[in-house]
Amino acid sequence: MLFSCALGIIASSTLSYVCALELKTARYEGHRYVEGIVDLTKEPLKLYWKNEQTEQDFASIPSLARHLSADQHEELLFAVNSGIYAEHYTPLGLFIEKGITKVPLNTVTFNEGQGNFALLPNGVFYVDDHNRAYIETTDKFAEFSQDKPIQYATQSGPMLLINGDYNHRFIEHSRSLKIRSGVCVMDQKVHFVVTEDSVNFFEFATYFKDEIGCQDALYLDGTLARLYYRGKTYGAPFWKAKPLVGIWGVTRPITRPTP
């Protein structure tokens, strides 16, 4: 098991980490996992989809990184693609960016054409105005969302874990094996996970349940799942590249030399 730390201090003698952003690589039950951990008490987490000036999709992590560097004078330290998308590369469910709802909550419950999203329950991962993160099932989110100040949100599915229990639709020895990504929140640390080997949903959920100790976890993406950390990309190989719809990111200001 390996760790890397950004935006913080590593006390290597005690293996204690005071980090806003960590990367953990692990082999669990014979499979390779990469885990990006964002401490929201130290750093904000943002969600990106389109260039606000051109209305063009960023579509890839390198494209977003170039935009942030050139236009926002920020370095992209960490990124992971956001969740399930529909045809024409638009979010299949809820998408909130900077407090603005770009796509409404999807409450459809039938299976036709919905793919993994229809392995109910699906859910919502969101960050509020105080930079606190949460994961809720879609039904639970719909009950209170009008009263909650939400800054960023993505809807995806299926839920991997609900209150510590597996999604009841998962089959332990399923042969549906893919690269996968997902997210959970513990003590305001957001754990984004991508696999480097193909796993089924039950295996993937088990990593969140037993290795991290999550109560609620949400699936984000499959074949296209990618996690970027300080110049290196993990997960799906580059030759499977398709446009990404929504990218979660952590940045820091670029310090320009004084003339």
Side-chain angles (χ1 to χ4, degrees), residues 73-131:
H73 307 298
E74 294 181 348
E75 178 187 3
L76 183 65
L77 295 177
F78 169 84
V80 63
N81 50 312
S82 174
I84 304 296
Y85 58 87
E87 59 182 341
H88 308 305
Y89 298 104
T90 58
L92 183 59
L94 179 71
F95 193 99
I96 299 176
E97 184 178 353
K98 294 184 177 179
I100 299 171
T101 300
K102 303 291 183 72
V103 179
L105 190 70
N106 184 336
T107 57
V108 172
T109 57
F110 61 86
N111 289 343
E112 184 178 357
Q114 299 288 313
N116 291 327
F117 193 78
L119 288 174
L120 303 177
N122 49 47
V124 177
F125 168 60
Y126 64 96
V127 177
D128 69 12
D129 284 357
H130 302 290
N131 200 46

Side-chain angles (χ1 to χ4, degrees), residues 23-144:
L23 185 81
K24 169 185 173 182
T25 60
R27 184 173 289 274
Y28 180 76
E29 299 293 328
H31 300 296
R32 295 171 297 164
Y33 292 83
V34 179
E35 186 177 339
I37 306 168
V38 183
D39 186 342
L40 296 188
T41 67
K42 297 181 173 69
E43 282 295 321
L45 178 65
K46 299 178 182 180
L47 180 60
Y48 305 88
W49 179 14
K50 296 176 180 287
N51 184 313
E52 292 180 346
Q53 283 71 47
T54 66
E55 285 299 308
Q56 296 294 311
D57 294 8
F58 290 117
S60 72
I61 293 171
S63 174
L64 174 61
R66 289 191 296 269
H67 164 77
L68 291 171
S69 177
D71 295 359
Q72 305 295 326
H73 307 298
E74 294 181 348
E75 178 187 3
L76 183 65
L77 295 177
F78 169 84
V80 63
N81 50 312
S82 174
I84 304 296
Y85 58 87
E87 59 182 341
H88 308 305
Y89 298 104
T90 58
L92 183 59
L94 179 71
F95 193 99
I96 299 176
E97 184 178 353
K98 294 184 177 179
I100 299 171
T101 300
K102 303 291 183 72
V103 179
L105 190 70
N106 184 336
T107 57
V108 172
T109 57
F110 61 86
N111 289 343
E112 184 178 357
Q114 299 288 313
N116 291 327
F117 193 78
L119 288 174
L120 303 177
N122 49 47
V124 177
F125 168 60
Y126 64 96
V127 177
D128 69 12
D129 284 357
H130 302 290
N131 200 46
R132 295 182 63 85
Y134 305 87
I135 292 173
E136 305 283 2
T137 65
T138 294
D139 287 347
K140 185 174 181 182
F141 179 86
E143 293 176 5
F144 66 83

Side-chain angles (χ1 to χ4, degrees), residues 10-255:
I10 301 178
S12 58
S13 61
T14 61
L15 293 180
S16 64
Y17 290 79
V18 185
C19 291
L21 178 62
E22 300 173 44
L23 185 81
K24 169 185 173 182
T25 60
R27 184 173 289 274
Y28 180 76
E29 299 293 328
H31 300 296
R32 295 171 297 164
Y33 292 83
V34 179
E35 186 177 339
I37 306 168
V38 183
D39 186 342
L40 296 188
T41 67
K42 297 181 173 69
E43 282 295 321
L45 178 65
K46 299 178 182 180
L47 180 60
Y48 305 88
W49 179 14
K50 296 176 180 287
N51 184 313
E52 292 180 346
Q53 283 71 47
T54 66
E55 285 299 308
Q56 296 294 311
D57 294 8
F58 290 117
S60 72
I61 293 171
S63 174
L64 174 61
R66 289 191 296 269
H67 164 77
L68 291 171
S69 177
D71 295 359
Q72 305 295 326
H73 307 298
E74 294 181 348
E75 178 187 3
L76 183 65
L77 295 177
F78 169 84
V80 63
N81 50 312
S82 174
I84 304 296
Y85 58 87
E87 59 182 341
H88 308 305
Y89 298 104
T90 58
L92 183 59
L94 179 71
F95 193 99
I96 299 176
E97 184 178 353
K98 294 184 177 179
I100 299 171
T101 300
K102 303 291 183 72
V103 179
L105 190 70
N106 184 336
T107 57
V108 172
T109 57
F110 61 86
N111 289 343
E112 184 178 357
Q114 299 288 313
N116 291 327
F117 193 78
L119 288 174
L120 303 177
N122 49 47
V124 177
F125 168 60
Y126 64 96
V127 177
D128 69 12
D129 284 357
H130 302 290
N131 200 46
R132 295 182 63 85
Y134 305 87
I135 292 173
E136 305 283 2
T137 65
T138 294
D139 287 347
K140 185 174 181 182
F141 179 86
E143 293 176 5
F144 66 83
S145 59
Q146 299 299 321
D147 304 321
K148 203 166 182 70
I150 297 173
Q151 192 70 6
Y152 300 100
T154 187
Q155 185 182 7
S156 193
M159 289 287 293
L160 298 169
L161 299 172
I162 307 102
N163 296 323
D165 295 326
Y166 292 100
N167 187 316
H168 70 279
R169 296 178 182 268
F170 293 169
I171 300 170
E172 184 171 357
H173 300 294
S174 168
R175 300 309 300 165
S176 178
L177 306 176
K178 296 183 182 297
I179 298 290
R180 302 187 186 277
S181 65
V183 61
C184 79
V185 182
M186 293 183 61
D187 301 321
Q188 287 312 300
K189 287 188 176 182
V190 180
H191 298 251
F192 290 102
V193 178
V194 66
T195 68
E196 296 251 82
D197 299 311
S198 296
V199 298
N200 66 32
F201 276 127
F202 189 92
E203 290 170 326
F204 193 44
T206 298
Y207 182 87
F208 283 95
K209 181 180 175 69
D210 293 347
E211 183 70 6
I212 303 177
C214 306
Q215 286 293 298
D216 299 288
L218 179 66
Y219 179 69
L220 290 178
D221 204 355
T223 305
L224 304 181
R226 284 183 178 80
L227 185 151
Y228 168 91
Y229 178 84
R230 297 179 65 84
K232 185 172 181 180
T233 302
Y234 303 86
F238 73 91
W239 49 268
K240 289 190 176 180
K242 289 184 179 180
L244 303 182
V245 181
I247 301 169
W248 291 97
V250 174
T251 67
R252 70 176 175 189
I254 295 174
T255 302

